[in-house]
Amino acid sequence: MEPKKTALYDTHINLGAKMVEFAGYWMPVQYSGIKEEHHCVRNSVGIFDVSHMGEFFFSGEKAADFLQKMTLNDISKLQLHRAQYSGMCYDDGGLVDDLIVYCFGDTYMAIVNAGNLQKDYDWLQQHLAAGVELEDRSEEFSLFAVQGRHAEATLQKLADIDLSEIKFYWFREGVLAGEKAFIARTGYTGEDGFEIGVDAARSPAVWNAILEAGSEFSIQPIGLAARDTLRLEMKYSLYGNDIDQTTNPIEAGLGWITKVDKGDFVGRDAIMKVKEAGPSRKLVGFEVKGRGLARHGYPIMKDGAEIGVVTSGTFSPSLEKGIGLGYVNIPHNEIGATIEISVRGKGIAAEVVKTPFYQRPY
Amino acid sequence: MNVPDDLKYTAEHEWIAIDGDSAKIGITDYAQCELGDIVFVELPGVGEQTKAAEPFGTIEAVKAVSELFAPLSGEVVEKNGQLEEQPELINTDPYGEGWIIKLKVGDDSEVANLLSPDAYKNEIG
């Protein structure tokens, strides 16, 4: 099937992006180069097109109850204009997806991974009860992330609301560069910044306005490759790499969003069993000590025995060394544990380290 | 993309500078651009043998790892030691300071299999 195009496709081509197929869309993987783009976000500000991601809307008198049953986090804690990182599990505790839920009063929006959009929709539809309406409005929106220490100053020039009033994991509705937008102080980079939803048809003008507003900070467009190195330095999970239907939230380090005391939800029984018995493995961050890089799927070894598997690995442009995430059997998950990554048959030394790998200096 | 006229090429995006029975080898501008930021290069030791079309090393870029395929059979007589500390030379100067290894050509007849600059240009469209 020919990949779909976001509203920004031509804009990316004109910016010189290298385009790749990702989750059924043509997406920019890189513009000027991974390292340069990475440092641009860490040191100033960058803009990402993440319009491939899905937007589901939940309305009706039972919308909150339905989300409470379907997601891991506690919806009762969510109030108007708050956002909440959450997940969905199958009955066996395996993850369907990770997502962010936004509260618009009686209506809720969930932003889901593009690669899981249809699967998520079907899963939600299967469980749909009376009094809830579920609507997939993904095609209507473009989603941009503006990330970096100068994100607020860049967007404030274009916004009719005071962005400094939006706290981390809150959002507002306003007008941005003349267009209606929701503006959330969220992101996937570890920097301060915002994620913005605007009408897809009118979004190229908004993108261009942001590039112009950020020009005094040397803003750059950032591709998916740098998005990956940025999120990996923060140990943010990527569905399909670090979490999937075979991983449960406890071993994935997502216990903090899994509110087992909130009442029943899909997957709770299985998750309780894992919590009671203790997980057999944990997702850890490691630094590669030897020469080479860890990659998804490489075995993790200790004294000749396989004790785990790499789920993500790259060269960290901020730390200038190889880093990665992987599941390791307990007790090899302890900070400081020495492990080996089997890189094409050769053992390379690595050490389990505290995460996030990177902490912003402001 | 820069494809110098005085070099030979392979479909695996390597360039070869033939000088008598010695062949200096690197990857093309196109290849370094496709790979992106290079962070490690793993090379055979001096004295090891290469076999045409077989892997002789690997290049780790930030986003992926790729194998290097030997354009010719022969013996490694020199490798670019600078790449140990500065693998990014392959990105910044693929035909110059970013050269990778030098071989003593083992079988002259294989040289005829290498691509001309025009043939390589066709290869990369």
Short mmCIF file of all heavy atoms in Angstrom, two decimals, chain A residues 18 29-30 33-36 225 229 290-293 295 298 314-315 343-344 346, chain B residues 33-42 58 60-65 83-84 88:
data_model
loop_
_atom_site.label_atom_id
_atom_site.label_comp_id
_atom_site.label_asym_id
_atom_site.label_seq_id
_atom_site.Cartn_x
_atom_site.Cartn_y
_atom_site.Cartn_z
N LYS A 18 14.98 13.94 4.04
CA LYS A 18 15.00 12.59 3.52
C LYS A 18 13.74 11.91 4.05
O LYS A 18 13.52 11.87 5.26
CB LYS A 18 16.25 11.86 4.00
CG LYS A 18 16.38 10.46 3.43
CD LYS A 18 17.53 9.72 4.05
CE LYS A 18 18.87 10.30 3.63
NZ LYS A 18 19.97 9.51 4.25
N VAL A 29 12.79 11.64 7.99
CA VAL A 29 13.65 10.95 8.96
C VAL A 29 14.82 11.85 9.35
O VAL A 29 15.33 11.78 10.45
CB VAL A 29 14.12 9.58 8.42
CG1 VAL A 29 15.01 9.74 7.20
CG2 VAL A 29 14.85 8.77 9.48
N GLN A 30 15.17 12.74 8.44
CA GLN A 30 16.33 13.59 8.71
C GLN A 30 16.33 14.78 7.76
O GLN A 30 15.93 14.67 6.61
CB GLN A 30 17.57 12.71 8.56
CG GLN A 30 18.83 13.39 8.22
CD GLN A 30 20.01 12.41 8.17
OE1 GLN A 30 19.97 11.31 8.71
NE2 GLN A 30 21.04 12.82 7.50
N GLY A 33 20.91 16.45 9.44
CA GLY A 33 21.76 15.40 10.01
C GLY A 33 21.34 15.14 11.44
O GLY A 33 20.97 16.06 12.15
N ILE A 34 21.41 13.87 11.86
CA ILE A 34 20.87 13.49 13.17
C ILE A 34 21.53 14.29 14.30
O ILE A 34 20.86 14.85 15.15
CB ILE A 34 21.09 11.99 13.46
CG1 ILE A 34 20.39 11.13 12.41
CG2 ILE A 34 20.55 11.64 14.85
CD1 ILE A 34 20.55 9.65 12.65
N LYS A 35 22.86 14.31 14.30
CA LYS A 35 23.55 14.96 15.42
C LYS A 35 23.22 16.44 15.48
O LYS A 35 22.95 16.98 16.55
CB LYS A 35 25.07 14.79 15.27
CG LYS A 35 25.59 13.42 15.65
CD LYS A 35 27.12 13.49 15.68
CE LYS A 35 27.77 12.14 15.79
NZ LYS A 35 29.23 12.24 15.60
N GLU A 36 23.27 17.10 14.33
CA GLU A 36 23.00 18.54 14.30
C GLU A 36 21.58 18.83 14.79
O GLU A 36 21.34 19.76 15.57
CB GLU A 36 23.22 19.07 12.88
CG GLU A 36 23.08 20.58 12.81
CD GLU A 36 23.30 21.14 11.42
OE1 GLU A 36 24.00 20.51 10.61
OE2 GLU A 36 22.73 22.23 11.13
N ALA A 225 14.66 10.45 13.11
CA ALA A 225 15.90 9.83 13.61
C ALA A 225 16.38 10.55 14.86
O ALA A 225 16.74 9.92 15.86
CB ALA A 225 16.96 9.83 12.52
N THR A 229 16.84 9.51 19.01
CA THR A 229 17.99 9.67 19.92
C THR A 229 17.61 10.53 21.12
O THR A 229 18.06 10.29 22.23
CB THR A 229 19.22 10.27 19.19
OG1 THR A 229 18.84 11.49 18.55
CG2 THR A 229 19.78 9.32 18.15
N GLY A 290 32.53 -0.70 25.60
CA GLY A 290 33.46 -1.04 24.54
C GLY A 290 33.10 -0.35 23.24
O GLY A 290 32.20 0.48 23.19
N ARG A 291 33.85 -0.69 22.18
CA ARG A 291 33.58 -0.09 20.87
C ARG A 291 32.44 -0.84 20.19
O ARG A 291 32.47 -2.05 20.08
CB ARG A 291 34.82 -0.14 19.99
CG ARG A 291 35.83 0.95 20.29
CD ARG A 291 37.06 0.78 19.45
NE ARG A 291 36.79 0.95 18.02
CZ ARG A 291 36.70 2.14 17.41
NH1 ARG A 291 36.86 3.23 18.09
NH2 ARG A 291 36.47 2.20 16.12
N GLY A 292 31.46 -0.11 19.73
CA GLY A 292 30.32 -0.73 19.05
C GLY A 292 29.04 -0.15 19.61
O GLY A 292 29.05 0.55 20.62
N LEU A 293 27.94 -0.43 18.93
CA LEU A 293 26.65 0.07 19.38
C LEU A 293 25.68 -1.09 19.53
O LEU A 293 25.72 -2.05 18.77
CB LEU A 293 26.09 1.06 18.36
CG LEU A 293 26.82 2.39 18.20
CD1 LEU A 293 26.09 3.25 17.18
CD2 LEU A 293 26.92 3.13 19.53
N ARG A 295 21.94 -2.63 19.30
CA ARG A 295 20.76 -2.39 18.45
C ARG A 295 19.64 -3.31 18.88
O ARG A 295 19.88 -4.36 19.48
CB ARG A 295 21.10 -2.68 16.98
CG ARG A 295 22.26 -1.89 16.40
CD ARG A 295 21.91 -0.45 16.17
NE ARG A 295 23.02 0.26 15.51
CZ ARG A 295 23.03 1.57 15.28
NH1 ARG A 295 22.01 2.32 15.65
NH2 ARG A 295 24.04 2.14 14.69
N TYR A 298 19.57 -7.37 19.81
CA TYR A 298 20.86 -7.99 20.19
C TYR A 298 20.72 -8.64 21.57
O TYR A 298 20.14 -8.06 22.48
CB TYR A 298 21.98 -6.93 20.25
CG TYR A 298 22.48 -6.42 18.92
CD1 TYR A 298 21.88 -6.78 17.71
CD2 TYR A 298 23.58 -5.57 18.86
CE1 TYR A 298 22.36 -6.28 16.51
CE2 TYR A 298 24.07 -5.07 17.65
CZ TYR A 298 23.45 -5.43 16.48
OH TYR A 298 23.92 -4.95 15.29
N THR A 314 21.51 3.16 20.49
CA THR A 314 22.01 4.15 19.54
C THR A 314 23.28 4.77 20.10
O THR A 314 23.74 4.41 21.17
CB THR A 314 20.95 5.24 19.28
OG1 THR A 314 21.36 6.04 18.16
CG2 THR A 314 20.78 6.18 20.48
N PHE A 315 23.81 5.71 19.36
CA PHE A 315 24.89 6.56 19.84
C PHE A 315 24.22 7.80 20.40
O PHE A 315 23.41 8.42 19.73
CB PHE A 315 25.82 6.91 18.68
CG PHE A 315 26.96 7.81 19.07
CD1 PHE A 315 28.09 7.30 19.66
CD2 PHE A 315 26.89 9.18 18.83
CE1 PHE A 315 29.15 8.12 20.01
CE2 PHE A 315 27.94 10.01 19.19
CZ PHE A 315 29.07 9.48 19.78
N VAL A 343 27.26 -8.16 20.10
CA VAL A 343 27.19 -7.37 18.87
C VAL A 343 27.72 -8.23 17.73
O VAL A 343 28.94 -8.44 17.64
CB VAL A 343 28.01 -6.06 19.00
CG1 VAL A 343 27.99 -5.28 17.70
CG2 VAL A 343 27.48 -5.20 20.14
N ARG A 344 26.83 -8.74 16.93
CA ARG A 344 27.19 -9.61 15.82
C ARG A 344 28.18 -10.70 16.27
O ARG A 344 29.24 -10.89 15.69
CB ARG A 344 27.74 -8.79 14.65
CG ARG A 344 26.69 -7.81 14.10
CD ARG A 344 27.22 -6.93 12.99
NE ARG A 344 28.23 -5.98 13.42
CZ ARG A 344 27.97 -4.84 14.03
NH1 ARG A 344 26.73 -4.48 14.30
NH2 ARG A 344 28.95 -4.03 14.39
N LYS A 346 30.04 -10.83 18.92
CA LYS A 346 31.16 -10.44 19.76
C LYS A 346 30.63 -9.77 21.03
O LYS A 346 29.75 -8.90 20.95
CB LYS A 346 32.02 -9.44 18.98
CG LYS A 346 33.47 -9.40 19.42
CD LYS A 346 34.35 -8.68 18.40
CE LYS A 346 34.26 -7.17 18.54
NZ LYS A 346 35.05 -6.44 17.55
N CYS B 33 26.20 9.96 2.77
CA CYS B 33 25.00 10.78 2.92
C CYS B 33 23.81 9.91 3.34
O CYS B 33 23.03 10.29 4.21
CB CYS B 33 24.74 11.49 1.59
SG CYS B 33 23.55 12.79 1.74
N GLU B 34 23.71 8.72 2.73
CA GLU B 34 22.64 7.80 3.10
C GLU B 34 22.80 7.30 4.54
O GLU B 34 21.82 7.14 5.26
CB GLU B 34 22.64 6.59 2.15
CG GLU B 34 22.08 6.88 0.78
CD GLU B 34 20.58 7.20 0.82
OE1 GLU B 34 19.81 6.37 1.33
OE2 GLU B 34 20.20 8.30 0.36
N LEU B 35 24.03 7.03 4.93
CA LEU B 35 24.28 6.50 6.28
C LEU B 35 24.05 7.54 7.36
O LEU B 35 23.61 7.23 8.46
CB LEU B 35 25.72 5.99 6.39
CG LEU B 35 26.05 4.70 5.65
CD1 LEU B 35 27.55 4.46 5.65
CD2 LEU B 35 25.33 3.52 6.29
N GLY B 36 24.36 8.77 7.06
CA GLY B 36 24.28 9.82 8.08
C GLY B 36 25.50 9.78 8.99
O GLY B 36 26.52 9.17 8.66
N ASP B 37 25.36 10.40 10.16
CA ASP B 37 26.49 10.55 11.07
C ASP B 37 27.13 9.23 11.46
O ASP B 37 26.50 8.39 12.10
CB ASP B 37 26.05 11.27 12.35
CG ASP B 37 25.61 12.69 12.08
OD1 ASP B 37 26.40 13.42 11.47
OD2 ASP B 37 24.50 13.06 12.47
N ILE B 38 28.39 9.05 11.09
CA ILE B 38 29.12 7.80 11.36
C ILE B 38 29.83 7.90 12.71
O ILE B 38 30.47 8.92 13.00
CB ILE B 38 30.10 7.50 10.21
CG1 ILE B 38 29.28 7.17 8.94
CG2 ILE B 38 31.05 6.34 10.56
CD1 ILE B 38 30.07 7.18 7.66
N VAL B 39 29.69 6.86 13.55
CA VAL B 39 30.27 6.92 14.90
C VAL B 39 31.34 5.87 15.19
O VAL B 39 32.13 6.05 16.11
CB VAL B 39 29.17 6.88 15.98
CG1 VAL B 39 28.43 8.19 15.99
CG2 VAL B 39 28.21 5.73 15.82
N PHE B 40 31.36 4.76 14.45
CA PHE B 40 32.40 3.75 14.63
C PHE B 40 32.69 3.09 13.29
O PHE B 40 31.79 2.93 12.47
CB PHE B 40 31.96 2.59 15.54
CG PHE B 40 31.82 2.95 16.98
CD1 PHE B 40 30.57 2.93 17.57
CD2 PHE B 40 32.92 3.27 17.76
CE1 PHE B 40 30.41 3.24 18.91
CE2 PHE B 40 32.77 3.58 19.10
CZ PHE B 40 31.51 3.57 19.67
N VAL B 41 33.91 2.70 13.09
CA VAL B 41 34.26 1.88 11.94
C VAL B 41 35.04 0.69 12.46
O VAL B 41 35.96 0.85 13.28
CB VAL B 41 35.13 2.64 10.92
CG1 VAL B 41 35.27 1.85 9.64
CG2 VAL B 41 34.52 4.01 10.64
N GLU B 42 34.64 -0.50 12.05
CA GLU B 42 35.33 -1.71 12.48
C GLU B 42 36.04 -2.29 11.27
O GLU B 42 35.40 -2.59 10.27
CB GLU B 42 34.26 -2.70 12.98
CG GLU B 42 34.66 -3.53 14.16
CD GLU B 42 33.52 -4.43 14.55
OE1 GLU B 42 32.58 -3.93 15.18
OE2 GLU B 42 33.55 -5.62 14.20
N THR B 58 32.59 -3.18 9.27
CA THR B 58 31.26 -2.59 9.47
C THR B 58 31.39 -1.11 9.77
O THR B 58 32.40 -0.64 10.30
CB THR B 58 30.50 -3.24 10.64
OG1 THR B 58 31.34 -3.23 11.80
CG2 THR B 58 30.10 -4.66 10.35
N GLU B 60 29.21 1.80 11.75
CA GLU B 60 28.08 2.13 12.62
C GLU B 60 27.77 3.60 12.43
O GLU B 60 28.58 4.46 12.76
CB GLU B 60 28.43 1.90 14.09
CG GLU B 60 28.54 0.46 14.51
CD GLU B 60 27.23 -0.14 15.02
OE1 GLU B 60 26.17 0.49 14.85
OE2 GLU B 60 27.31 -1.25 15.59
N ALA B 61 26.57 3.89 11.96
CA ALA B 61 26.09 5.26 11.96
C ALA B 61 25.11 5.37 13.12
O ALA B 61 24.73 4.35 13.70
CB ALA B 61 25.41 5.59 10.64
N VAL B 62 24.71 6.60 13.45
CA VAL B 62 23.80 6.75 14.59
C VAL B 62 22.57 5.88 14.40
O VAL B 62 22.14 5.19 15.30
CB VAL B 62 23.40 8.23 14.79
CG1 VAL B 62 22.37 8.36 15.90
CG2 VAL B 62 24.63 9.06 15.14
N LYS B 63 22.03 5.90 13.18
CA LYS B 63 20.74 5.23 13.02
C LYS B 63 20.82 3.76 12.66
O LYS B 63 19.86 3.03 12.90
CB LYS B 63 19.86 5.98 12.02
CG LYS B 63 20.37 5.98 10.60
CD LYS B 63 19.47 6.82 9.68
CE LYS B 63 20.14 7.01 8.35
NZ LYS B 63 19.70 8.18 7.63
N ALA B 64 21.93 3.28 12.10
CA ALA B 64 21.98 1.87 11.70
C ALA B 64 23.41 1.42 11.47
O ALA B 64 24.33 2.23 11.37
CB ALA B 64 21.18 1.66 10.42
N VAL B 65 23.57 0.11 11.40
CA VAL B 65 24.88 -0.47 11.12
C VAL B 65 24.86 -1.01 9.69
O VAL B 65 23.85 -1.51 9.22
CB VAL B 65 25.23 -1.57 12.14
CG1 VAL B 65 24.22 -2.69 12.13
CG2 VAL B 65 26.63 -2.10 11.92
N LEU B 83 40.51 7.10 11.58
CA LEU B 83 39.08 6.83 11.72
C LEU B 83 38.73 6.33 13.12
O LEU B 83 37.59 6.41 13.55
CB LEU B 83 38.62 5.81 10.67
CG LEU B 83 38.76 6.24 9.22
CD1 LEU B 83 38.24 5.14 8.30
CD2 LEU B 83 37.99 7.55 8.96
N GLU B 84 39.72 5.79 13.80
CA GLU B 84 39.53 5.31 15.17
C GLU B 84 38.99 6.45 16.05
O GLU B 84 38.03 6.29 16.78
CB GLU B 84 40.88 4.82 15.71
CG GLU B 84 40.80 4.09 17.01
CD GLU B 84 41.04 2.59 16.81
OE1 GLU B 84 41.06 2.09 15.67
OE2 GLU B 84 41.20 1.93 17.82
N GLU B 88 34.00 10.51 11.75
CA GLU B 88 33.21 11.49 10.99
C GLU B 88 33.95 12.01 9.76
O GLU B 88 33.36 12.67 8.91
CB GLU B 88 32.75 12.64 11.88
CG GLU B 88 33.85 13.53 12.43
CD GLU B 88 34.49 13.00 13.73
OE1 GLU B 88 34.26 11.83 14.10
OE2 GLU B 88 35.23 13.78 14.36
#
